[in-house]
Amino acid sequence: MADFTGDNIPDLAVTNATLDMVSISLGKGDGTFTYPPIYHEVAEYPQGMVIADFNNDGLLDIAVSSRDENKISLLLKKNMVNPSPFAN
């Protein structure tokens, strides 16, 4: 959980190894989240996830490790909601 939109409301990011995606559901501020979530493709079999500012722009990014490949998918937050795929 992290605030991906800058509205001081926690949002939820979850890996989905079956679909090879990360889904982000935006917090509504009442303990619930938006549905459907925003989906982002990542490397095959995503497993571990770290949220940090990887490119020093002051915005939270998401790094996702792949279970079966030596790959890290990096989703950079270039705008308010949609981290865009940067590297696999």
Side-chain angles (χ1 to χ4, degrees), residues 16-53:
N16 183 325
T18 304
L19 298 175
D20 300 332
M21 294 190 174
V22 168
S23 61
I24 299 174
S25 295
L26 305 180
K28 294 182 178 181
D30 61 1
T32 64
F33 298 89
T34 57
Y35 185 84
I38 301 163
Y39 294 100
H40 298 279
E41 290 186 39
V42 294
E44 191 172 14
Y45 300 113
Q47 188 169 13
M49 178 171 43
V50 176
I51 299 167
D53 180 8

PDB file of all heavy atoms in Angstrom, residues 16-53:
ATOM      1  N   ASN A  16       0.059 -10.260  -9.735  1.00  0.00           N
ATOM      2  CA  ASN A  16      -0.776 -11.377 -10.160  1.00  0.00           C
ATOM      3  C   ASN A  16       0.078 -12.263 -11.064  1.00  0.00           C
ATOM      4  O   ASN A  16       0.273 -11.957 -12.240  1.00  0.00           O
ATOM      5  CB  ASN A  16      -2.008 -10.878 -10.909  1.00  0.00           C
ATOM      6  CG  ASN A  16      -2.939 -11.995 -11.307  1.00  0.00           C
ATOM      7  OD1 ASN A  16      -2.508 -13.096 -11.631  1.00  0.00           O
ATOM      8  ND2 ASN A  16      -4.225 -11.702 -11.298  1.00  0.00           N
ATOM      9  N   ALA A  17       0.589 -13.366 -10.495  1.00  0.00           N
ATOM     10  CA  ALA A  17       1.491 -14.243 -11.243  1.00  0.00           C
ATOM     11  C   ALA A  17       0.781 -14.983 -12.369  1.00  0.00           C
ATOM     12  O   ALA A  17       1.409 -15.354 -13.356  1.00  0.00           O
ATOM     13  CB  ALA A  17       2.147 -15.242 -10.293  1.00  0.00           C
ATOM     14  N   THR A  18      -0.509 -15.206 -12.252  1.00  0.00           N
ATOM     15  CA  THR A  18      -1.252 -15.909 -13.296  1.00  0.00           C
ATOM     16  C   THR A  18      -1.354 -15.076 -14.567  1.00  0.00           C
ATOM     17  O   THR A  18      -1.217 -15.591 -15.672  1.00  0.00           O
ATOM     18  CB  THR A  18      -2.670 -16.263 -12.808  1.00  0.00           C
ATOM     19  OG1 THR A  18      -2.557 -17.027 -11.612  1.00  0.00           O
ATOM     20  CG2 THR A  18      -3.412 -17.064 -13.848  1.00  0.00           C
ATOM     21  N   LEU A  19      -1.572 -13.770 -14.408  1.00  0.00           N
ATOM     22  CA  LEU A  19      -1.737 -12.880 -15.565  1.00  0.00           C
ATOM     23  C   LEU A  19      -0.476 -12.086 -15.905  1.00  0.00           C
ATOM     24  O   LEU A  19      -0.460 -11.322 -16.857  1.00  0.00           O
ATOM     25  CB  LEU A  19      -2.889 -11.904 -15.302  1.00  0.00           C
ATOM     26  CG  LEU A  19      -4.261 -12.532 -15.100  1.00  0.00           C
ATOM     27  CD1 LEU A  19      -5.278 -11.456 -14.730  1.00  0.00           C
ATOM     28  CD2 LEU A  19      -4.692 -13.276 -16.345  1.00  0.00           C
ATOM     29  N   ASP A  20       0.594 -12.238 -15.102  1.00  0.00           N
ATOM     30  CA  ASP A  20       1.841 -11.478 -15.294  1.00  0.00           C
ATOM     31  C   ASP A  20       1.566  -9.976 -15.285  1.00  0.00           C
ATOM     32  O   ASP A  20       1.948  -9.239 -16.191  1.00  0.00           O
ATOM     33  CB  ASP A  20       2.543 -11.883 -16.587  1.00  0.00           C
ATOM     34  CG  ASP A  20       2.915 -13.355 -16.601  1.00  0.00           C
ATOM     35  OD1 ASP A  20       3.126 -13.923 -15.512  1.00  0.00           O
ATOM     36  OD2 ASP A  20       2.984 -13.938 -17.695  1.00  0.00           O
ATOM     37  N   MET A  21       0.885  -9.528 -14.245  1.00  0.00           N
ATOM     38  CA  MET A  21       0.506  -8.118 -14.125  1.00  0.00           C
ATOM     39  C   MET A  21       0.610  -7.641 -12.682  1.00  0.00           C
ATOM     40  O   MET A  21       0.635  -8.440 -11.755  1.00  0.00           O
ATOM     41  CB  MET A  21      -0.923  -7.901 -14.599  1.00  0.00           C
ATOM     42  CG  MET A  21      -1.138  -8.140 -16.054  1.00  0.00           C
ATOM     43  SD  MET A  21      -2.773  -7.575 -16.536  1.00  0.00           S
ATOM     44  CE  MET A  21      -2.672  -7.823 -18.281  1.00  0.00           C
ATOM     45  N   VAL A  22       0.661  -6.320 -12.568  1.00  0.00           N
ATOM     46  CA  VAL A  22       0.469  -5.647 -11.286  1.00  0.00           C
ATOM     47  C   VAL A  22      -0.842  -4.895 -11.418  1.00  0.00           C
ATOM     48  O   VAL A  22      -1.093  -4.237 -12.431  1.00  0.00           O
ATOM     49  CB  VAL A  22       1.620  -4.664 -10.977  1.00  0.00           C
ATOM     50  CG1 VAL A  22       1.284  -3.770  -9.803  1.00  0.00           C
ATOM     51  CG2 VAL A  22       2.905  -5.419 -10.713  1.00  0.00           C
ATOM     52  N   SER A  23      -1.697  -5.016 -10.415  1.00  0.00           N
ATOM     53  CA  SER A  23      -2.943  -4.256 -10.428  1.00  0.00           C
ATOM     54  C   SER A  23      -2.887  -3.209  -9.332  1.00  0.00           C
ATOM     55  O   SER A  23      -2.370  -3.462  -8.243  1.00  0.00           O
ATOM     56  CB  SER A  23      -4.154  -5.170 -10.245  1.00  0.00           C
ATOM     57  OG  SER A  23      -4.092  -5.840  -9.006  1.00  0.00           O
ATOM     58  N   ILE A  24      -3.393  -2.019  -9.648  1.00  0.00           N
ATOM     59  CA  ILE A  24      -3.431  -0.908  -8.693  1.00  0.00           C
ATOM     60  C   ILE A  24      -4.878  -0.486  -8.523  1.00  0.00           C
ATOM     61  O   ILE A  24      -5.553  -0.134  -9.491  1.00  0.00           O
ATOM     62  CB  ILE A  24      -2.580   0.276  -9.182  1.00  0.00           C
ATOM     63  CG1 ILE A  24      -1.119  -0.154  -9.322  1.00  0.00           C
ATOM     64  CG2 ILE A  24      -2.720   1.458  -8.223  1.00  0.00           C
ATOM     65  CD1 ILE A  24      -0.222   0.887  -9.936  1.00  0.00           C
ATOM     66  N   SER A  25      -5.339  -0.564  -7.276  1.00  0.00           N
ATOM     67  CA  SER A  25      -6.683  -0.092  -6.933  1.00  0.00           C
ATOM     68  C   SER A  25      -6.525   1.176  -6.105  1.00  0.00           C
ATOM     69  O   SER A  25      -5.757   1.204  -5.146  1.00  0.00           O
ATOM     70  CB  SER A  25      -7.437  -1.146  -6.127  1.00  0.00           C
ATOM     71  OG  SER A  25      -7.668  -2.289  -6.913  1.00  0.00           O
ATOM     72  N   LEU A  26      -7.236   2.210  -6.497  1.00  0.00           N
ATOM     73  CA  LEU A  26      -7.121   3.501  -5.820  1.00  0.00           C
ATOM     74  C   LEU A  26      -7.982   3.523  -4.571  1.00  0.00           C
ATOM     75  O   LEU A  26      -9.130   3.067  -4.583  1.00  0.00           O
ATOM     76  CB  LEU A  26      -7.535   4.619  -6.769  1.00  0.00           C
ATOM     77  CG  LEU A  26      -6.783   4.667  -8.096  1.00  0.00           C
ATOM     78  CD1 LEU A  26      -7.292   5.816  -8.944  1.00  0.00           C
ATOM     79  CD2 LEU A  26      -5.283   4.773  -7.868  1.00  0.00           C
ATOM     80  N   GLY A  27      -7.428   4.050  -3.492  1.00  0.00           N
ATOM     81  CA  GLY A  27      -8.175   4.164  -2.251  1.00  0.00           C
ATOM     82  C   GLY A  27      -9.253   5.223  -2.358  1.00  0.00           C
ATOM     83  O   GLY A  27      -9.057   6.271  -2.965  1.00  0.00           O
ATOM     84  N   LYS A  28     -10.411   4.930  -1.765  1.00  0.00           N
ATOM     85  CA  LYS A  28     -11.532   5.874  -1.777  1.00  0.00           C
ATOM     86  C   LYS A  28     -11.574   6.721  -0.506  1.00  0.00           C
ATOM     87  O   LYS A  28     -12.376   7.655  -0.419  1.00  0.00           O
ATOM     88  CB  LYS A  28     -12.851   5.124  -1.923  1.00  0.00           C
ATOM     89  CG  LYS A  28     -13.016   4.427  -3.251  1.00  0.00           C
ATOM     90  CD  LYS A  28     -14.389   3.761  -3.309  1.00  0.00           C
ATOM     91  CE  LYS A  28     -14.648   3.082  -4.612  1.00  0.00           C
ATOM     92  NZ  LYS A  28     -15.998   2.477  -4.638  1.00  0.00           N
ATOM     93  N   GLY A  29     -10.752   6.382   0.492  1.00  0.00           N
ATOM     94  CA  GLY A  29     -10.724   7.148   1.724  1.00  0.00           C
ATOM     95  C   GLY A  29     -11.654   6.625   2.797  1.00  0.00           C
ATOM     96  O   GLY A  29     -11.675   7.117   3.910  1.00  0.00           O
ATOM     97  N   ASP A  30     -12.429   5.586   2.461  1.00  0.00           N
ATOM     98  CA  ASP A  30     -13.357   5.007   3.434  1.00  0.00           C
ATOM     99  C   ASP A  30     -13.017   3.547   3.734  1.00  0.00           C
ATOM    100  O   ASP A  30     -13.837   2.797   4.253  1.00  0.00           O
ATOM    101  CB  ASP A  30     -14.797   5.121   2.932  1.00  0.00           C
ATOM    102  CG  ASP A  30     -15.034   4.384   1.619  1.00  0.00           C
ATOM    103  OD1 ASP A  30     -14.098   3.756   1.083  1.00  0.00           O
ATOM    104  OD2 ASP A  30     -16.181   4.431   1.126  1.00  0.00           O
ATOM    105  N   GLY A  31     -11.790   3.145   3.383  1.00  0.00           N
ATOM    106  CA  GLY A  31     -11.368   1.768   3.598  1.00  0.00           C
ATOM    107  C   GLY A  31     -11.645   0.850   2.422  1.00  0.00           C
ATOM    108  O   GLY A  31     -11.317  -0.328   2.471  1.00  0.00           O
ATOM    109  N   THR A  32     -12.250   1.381   1.354  1.00  0.00           N
ATOM    110  CA  THR A  32     -12.513   0.592   0.154  1.00  0.00           C
ATOM    111  C   THR A  32     -11.643   1.107  -0.990  1.00  0.00           C
ATOM    112  O   THR A  32     -11.034   2.172  -0.893  1.00  0.00           O
ATOM    113  CB  THR A  32     -13.996   0.640  -0.250  1.00  0.00           C
ATOM    114  OG1 THR A  32     -14.344   1.981  -0.606  1.00  0.00           O
ATOM    115  CG2 THR A  32     -14.897   0.162   0.891  1.00  0.00           C
ATOM    116  N   PHE A  33     -11.618   0.340  -2.073  1.00  0.00           N
ATOM    117  CA  PHE A  33     -10.779   0.664  -3.220  1.00  0.00           C
ATOM    118  C   PHE A  33     -11.589   0.594  -4.508  1.00  0.00           C
ATOM    119  O   PHE A  33     -12.600  -0.090  -4.578  1.00  0.00           O
ATOM    120  CB  PHE A  33      -9.592  -0.305  -3.311  1.00  0.00           C
ATOM    121  CG  PHE A  33      -8.696  -0.239  -2.114  1.00  0.00           C
ATOM    122  CD1 PHE A  33      -8.925  -1.035  -1.006  1.00  0.00           C
ATOM    123  CD2 PHE A  33      -7.645   0.654  -2.074  1.00  0.00           C
ATOM    124  CE1 PHE A  33      -8.115  -0.968   0.105  1.00  0.00           C
ATOM    125  CE2 PHE A  33      -6.827   0.739  -0.969  1.00  0.00           C
ATOM    126  CZ  PHE A  33      -7.061  -0.075   0.132  1.00  0.00           C
ATOM    127  N   THR A  34     -11.114   1.298  -5.538  1.00  0.00           N
ATOM    128  CA  THR A  34     -11.801   1.306  -6.824  1.00  0.00           C
ATOM    129  C   THR A  34     -11.738  -0.062  -7.481  1.00  0.00           C
ATOM    130  O   THR A  34     -10.810  -0.835  -7.260  1.00  0.00           O
ATOM    131  CB  THR A  34     -11.170   2.338  -7.780  1.00  0.00           C
ATOM    132  OG1 THR A  34      -9.781   2.029  -7.937  1.00  0.00           O
ATOM    133  CG2 THR A  34     -11.342   3.747  -7.272  1.00  0.00           C
ATOM    134  N   TYR A  35     -12.758  -0.346  -8.279  1.00  0.00           N
ATOM    135  CA  TYR A  35     -12.816  -1.560  -9.071  1.00  0.00           C
ATOM    136  C   TYR A  35     -13.454  -1.211 -10.400  1.00  0.00           C
ATOM    137  O   TYR A  35     -14.435  -0.474 -10.416  1.00  0.00           O
ATOM    138  CB  TYR A  35     -13.641  -2.660  -8.373  1.00  0.00           C
ATOM    139  CG  TYR A  35     -13.592  -3.951  -9.133  1.00  0.00           C
ATOM    140  CD1 TYR A  35     -12.546  -4.824  -8.949  1.00  0.00           C
ATOM    141  CD2 TYR A  35     -14.562  -4.251 -10.076  1.00  0.00           C
ATOM    142  CE1 TYR A  35     -12.475  -6.001  -9.682  1.00  0.00           C
ATOM    143  CE2 TYR A  35     -14.490  -5.420 -10.811  1.00  0.00           C
ATOM    144  CZ  TYR A  35     -13.441  -6.289 -10.597  1.00  0.00           C
ATOM    145  OH  TYR A  35     -13.353  -7.439 -11.334  1.00  0.00           O
ATOM    146  N   PRO A  36     -12.926  -1.666 -11.495  1.00  0.00           N
ATOM    147  CA  PRO A  36     -11.787  -2.551 -11.620  1.00  0.00           C
ATOM    148  C   PRO A  36     -10.475  -1.801 -11.379  1.00  0.00           C
ATOM    149  O   PRO A  36     -10.419  -0.578 -11.533  1.00  0.00           O
ATOM    150  CB  PRO A  36     -11.877  -3.042 -13.069  1.00  0.00           C
ATOM    151  CG  PRO A  36     -12.545  -1.931 -13.808  1.00  0.00           C
ATOM    152  CD  PRO A  36     -13.502  -1.311 -12.810  1.00  0.00           C
ATOM    153  N   PRO A  37      -9.421  -2.542 -11.039  1.00  0.00           N
ATOM    154  CA  PRO A  37      -8.123  -1.900 -10.836  1.00  0.00           C
ATOM    155  C   PRO A  37      -7.482  -1.508 -12.164  1.00  0.00           C
ATOM    156  O   PRO A  37      -7.979  -1.859 -13.236  1.00  0.00           O
ATOM    157  CB  PRO A  37      -7.299  -2.987 -10.139  1.00  0.00           C
ATOM    158  CG  PRO A  37      -7.932  -4.260 -10.551  1.00  0.00           C
ATOM    159  CD  PRO A  37      -9.384  -3.961 -10.782  1.00  0.00           C
ATOM    160  N   ILE A  38      -6.391  -0.781 -12.074  1.00  0.00           N
ATOM    161  CA  ILE A  38      -5.581  -0.414 -13.235  1.00  0.00           C
ATOM    162  C   ILE A  38      -4.522  -1.512 -13.384  1.00  0.00           C
ATOM    163  O   ILE A  38      -3.818  -1.821 -12.424  1.00  0.00           O
ATOM    164  CB  ILE A  38      -4.921   0.958 -13.025  1.00  0.00           C
ATOM    165  CG1 ILE A  38      -5.995   2.012 -12.801  1.00  0.00           C
ATOM    166  CG2 ILE A  38      -4.020   1.315 -14.199  1.00  0.00           C
ATOM    167  CD1 ILE A  38      -5.474   3.289 -12.181  1.00  0.00           C
ATOM    168  N   TYR A  39      -4.415  -2.115 -14.567  1.00  0.00           N
ATOM    169  CA  TYR A  39      -3.490  -3.226 -14.786  1.00  0.00           C
ATOM    170  C   TYR A  39      -2.248  -2.771 -15.548  1.00  0.00           C
ATOM    171  O   TYR A  39      -2.346  -1.956 -16.472  1.00  0.00           O
ATOM    172  CB  TYR A  39      -4.166  -4.350 -15.586  1.00  0.00           C
ATOM    173  CG  TYR A  39      -5.285  -5.013 -14.833  1.00  0.00           C
ATOM    174  CD1 TYR A  39      -6.609  -4.673 -15.075  1.00  0.00           C
ATOM    175  CD2 TYR A  39      -5.028  -5.984 -13.875  1.00  0.00           C
ATOM    176  CE1 TYR A  39      -7.649  -5.281 -14.388  1.00  0.00           C
ATOM    177  CE2 TYR A  39      -6.057  -6.605 -13.192  1.00  0.00           C
ATOM    178  CZ  TYR A  39      -7.362  -6.246 -13.448  1.00  0.00           C
ATOM    179  OH  TYR A  39      -8.380  -6.849 -12.769  1.00  0.00           O
ATOM    180  N   HIS A  40      -1.104  -3.352 -15.161  1.00  0.00           N
ATOM    181  CA  HIS A  40       0.165  -3.081 -15.841  1.00  0.00           C
ATOM    182  C   HIS A  40       0.896  -4.400 -16.046  1.00  0.00           C
ATOM    183  O   HIS A  40       1.129  -5.137 -15.085  1.00  0.00           O
ATOM    184  CB  HIS A  40       1.033  -2.126 -15.017  1.00  0.00           C
ATOM    185  CG  HIS A  40       0.395  -0.799 -14.813  1.00  0.00           C
ATOM    186  ND1 HIS A  40       0.429   0.184 -15.767  1.00  0.00           N
ATOM    187  CD2 HIS A  40      -0.325  -0.308 -13.781  1.00  0.00           C
ATOM    188  CE1 HIS A  40      -0.232   1.236 -15.316  1.00  0.00           C
ATOM    189  NE2 HIS A  40      -0.702   0.960 -14.123  1.00  0.00           N
ATOM    190  N   GLU A  41       1.257  -4.695 -17.303  1.00  0.00           N
ATOM    191  CA  GLU A  41       1.997  -5.917 -17.604  1.00  0.00           C
ATOM    192  C   GLU A  41       3.415  -5.813 -17.064  1.00  0.00           C
ATOM    193  O   GLU A  41       4.035  -4.753 -17.126  1.00  0.00           O
ATOM    194  CB  GLU A  41       2.042  -6.158 -19.110  1.00  0.00           C
ATOM    195  CG  GLU A  41       0.699  -6.542 -19.691  1.00  0.00           C
ATOM    196  CD  GLU A  41       0.792  -6.905 -21.154  1.00  0.00           C
ATOM    197  OE1 GLU A  41       1.787  -7.550 -21.547  1.00  0.00           O
ATOM    198  OE2 GLU A  41      -0.120  -6.531 -21.897  1.00  0.00           O
ATOM    199  N   VAL A  42       3.926  -6.929 -16.546  1.00  0.00           N
ATOM    200  CA  VAL A  42       5.293  -7.009 -16.037  1.00  0.00           C
ATOM    201  C   VAL A  42       5.893  -8.324 -16.518  1.00  0.00           C
ATOM    202  O   VAL A  42       5.236  -9.109 -17.191  1.00  0.00           O
ATOM    203  CB  VAL A  42       5.323  -6.910 -14.491  1.00  0.00           C
ATOM    204  CG1 VAL A  42       4.876  -5.531 -14.033  1.00  0.00           C
ATOM    205  CG2 VAL A  42       4.465  -7.984 -13.840  1.00  0.00           C
ATOM    206  N   ALA A  43       7.155  -8.573 -16.151  1.00  0.00           N
ATOM    207  CA  ALA A  43       7.838  -9.806 -16.560  1.00  0.00           C
ATOM    208  C   ALA A  43       7.091 -11.029 -16.020  1.00  0.00           C
ATOM    209  O   ALA A  43       6.321 -10.947 -15.066  1.00  0.00           O
ATOM    210  CB  ALA A  43       9.276  -9.805 -16.059  1.00  0.00           C
ATOM    211  N   GLU A  44       7.351 -12.160 -16.638  1.00  0.00           N
ATOM    212  CA  GLU A  44       6.633 -13.404 -16.327  1.00  0.00           C
ATOM    213  C   GLU A  44       6.763 -13.806 -14.857  1.00  0.00           C
ATOM    214  O   GLU A  44       7.834 -13.721 -14.267  1.00  0.00           O
ATOM    215  CB  GLU A  44       7.193 -14.515 -17.215  1.00  0.00           C
ATOM    216  CG  GLU A  44       6.380 -15.764 -17.195  1.00  0.00           C
ATOM    217  CD  GLU A  44       6.865 -16.767 -18.233  1.00  0.00           C
ATOM    218  OE1 GLU A  44       7.960 -16.615 -18.778  1.00  0.00           O
ATOM    219  OE2 GLU A  44       6.116 -17.710 -18.486  1.00  0.00           O
ATOM    220  N   TYR A  45       5.669 -14.243 -14.266  1.00  0.00           N
ATOM    221  CA  TYR A  45       5.565 -14.699 -12.883  1.00  0.00           C
ATOM    222  C   TYR A  45       6.068 -13.670 -11.868  1.00  0.00           C
ATOM    223  O   TYR A  45       7.024 -13.916 -11.142  1.00  0.00           O
ATOM    224  CB  TYR A  45       6.294 -16.031 -12.682  1.00  0.00           C
ATOM    225  CG  TYR A  45       5.754 -17.143 -13.527  1.00  0.00           C
ATOM    226  CD1 TYR A  45       6.518 -17.689 -14.550  1.00  0.00           C
ATOM    227  CD2 TYR A  45       4.476 -17.631 -13.316  1.00  0.00           C
ATOM    228  CE1 TYR A  45       6.019 -18.706 -15.340  1.00  0.00           C
ATOM    229  CE2 TYR A  45       3.962 -18.654 -14.103  1.00  0.00           C
ATOM    230  CZ  TYR A  45       4.740 -19.183 -15.113  1.00  0.00           C
ATOM    231  OH  TYR A  45       4.238 -20.189 -15.897  1.00  0.00           O
ATOM    232  N   PRO A  46       5.426 -12.506 -11.787  1.00  0.00           N
ATOM    233  CA  PRO A  46       5.857 -11.508 -10.794  1.00  0.00           C
ATOM    234  C   PRO A  46       5.693 -12.057  -9.380  1.00  0.00           C
ATOM    235  O   PRO A  46       4.733 -12.764  -9.091  1.00  0.00           O
ATOM    236  CB  PRO A  46       4.904 -10.341 -11.050  1.00  0.00           C
ATOM    237  CG  PRO A  46       3.698 -10.941 -11.671  1.00  0.00           C
ATOM    238  CD  PRO A  46       4.200 -12.104 -12.474  1.00  0.00           C
ATOM    239  N   GLN A  47       6.665 -11.743  -8.542  1.00  0.00           N
ATOM    240  CA  GLN A  47       6.614 -12.275  -7.191  1.00  0.00           C
ATOM    241  C   GLN A  47       6.848 -11.189  -6.153  1.00  0.00           C
ATOM    242  O   GLN A  47       5.960 -10.844  -5.417  1.00  0.00           O
ATOM    243  CB  GLN A  47       7.639 -13.397  -7.042  1.00  0.00           C
ATOM    244  CG  GLN A  47       7.535 -14.134  -5.742  1.00  0.00           C
ATOM    245  CD  GLN A  47       8.366 -15.396  -5.742  1.00  0.00           C
ATOM    246  OE1 GLN A  47       9.199 -15.607  -6.606  1.00  0.00           O
ATOM    247  NE2 GLN A  47       8.157 -16.239  -4.768  1.00  0.00           N
ATOM    248  N   GLY A  48       8.047 -10.657  -6.076  1.00  0.00           N
ATOM    249  CA  GLY A  48       8.347  -9.619  -5.092  1.00  0.00           C
ATOM    250  C   GLY A  48       8.072  -8.237  -5.646  1.00  0.00           C
ATOM    251  O   GLY A  48       8.153  -8.002  -6.852  1.00  0.00           O
ATOM    252  N   MET A  49       7.731  -7.299  -4.747  1.00  0.00           N
ATOM    253  CA  MET A  49       7.438  -5.928  -5.183  1.00  0.00           C
ATOM    254  C   MET A  49       7.997  -4.957  -4.149  1.00  0.00           C
ATOM    255  O   MET A  49       7.858  -5.186  -2.945  1.00  0.00           O
ATOM    256  CB  MET A  49       5.926  -5.743  -5.329  1.00  0.00           C
ATOM    257  CG  MET A  49       5.514  -4.348  -5.723  1.00  0.00           C
ATOM    258  SD  MET A  49       3.745  -4.173  -6.152  1.00  0.00           S
ATOM    259  CE  MET A  49       2.909  -5.107  -4.913  1.00  0.00           C
ATOM    260  N   VAL A  50       8.613  -3.883  -4.640  1.00  0.00           N
ATOM    261  CA  VAL A  50       9.136  -2.831  -3.776  1.00  0.00           C
ATOM    262  C   VAL A  50       8.635  -1.497  -4.306  1.00  0.00           C
ATOM    263  O   VAL A  50       8.651  -1.258  -5.515  1.00  0.00           O
ATOM    264  CB  VAL A  50      10.684  -2.835  -3.746  1.00  0.00           C
ATOM    265  CG1 VAL A  50      11.208  -1.670  -2.925  1.00  0.00           C
ATOM    266  CG2 VAL A  50      11.210  -4.144  -3.215  1.00  0.00           C
ATOM    267  N   ILE A  51       8.193  -0.629  -3.399  1.00  0.00           N
ATOM    268  CA  ILE A  51       7.715   0.703  -3.771  1.00  0.00           C
ATOM    269  C   ILE A  51       8.698   1.728  -3.231  1.00  0.00           C
ATOM    270  O   ILE A  51       8.983   1.751  -2.035  1.00  0.00           O
ATOM    271  CB  ILE A  51       6.307   0.947  -3.200  1.00  0.00           C
ATOM    272  CG1 ILE A  51       5.331  -0.081  -3.765  1.00  0.00           C
ATOM    273  CG2 ILE A  51       5.842   2.371  -3.497  1.00  0.00           C
ATOM    274  CD1 ILE A  51       4.002  -0.133  -3.054  1.00  0.00           C
ATOM    275  N   ALA A  52       9.252   2.544  -4.122  1.00  0.00           N
ATOM    276  CA  ALA A  52      10.219   3.571  -3.744  1.00  0.00           C
ATOM    277  C   ALA A  52      10.341   4.563  -4.898  1.00  0.00           C
ATOM    278  O   ALA A  52       9.803   4.339  -5.982  1.00  0.00           O
ATOM    279  CB  ALA A  52      11.579   2.942  -3.445  1.00  0.00           C
ATOM    280  N   ASP A  53      11.073   5.641  -4.688  1.00  0.00           N
ATOM    281  CA  ASP A  53      11.345   6.622  -5.745  1.00  0.00           C
ATOM    282  C   ASP A  53      12.660   6.241  -6.409  1.00  0.00           C
ATOM    283  O   ASP A  53      13.725   6.676  -6.006  1.00  0.00           O
ATOM    284  CB  ASP A  53      11.419   8.031  -5.151  1.00  0.00           C
ATOM    285  CG  ASP A  53      11.699   9.097  -6.193  1.00  0.00           C
ATOM    286  OD1 ASP A  53      11.690   8.769  -7.402  1.00  0.00           O
ATOM    287  OD2 ASP A  53      11.939  10.243  -5.805  1.00  0.00           O
TER     288      ASP A  53
END
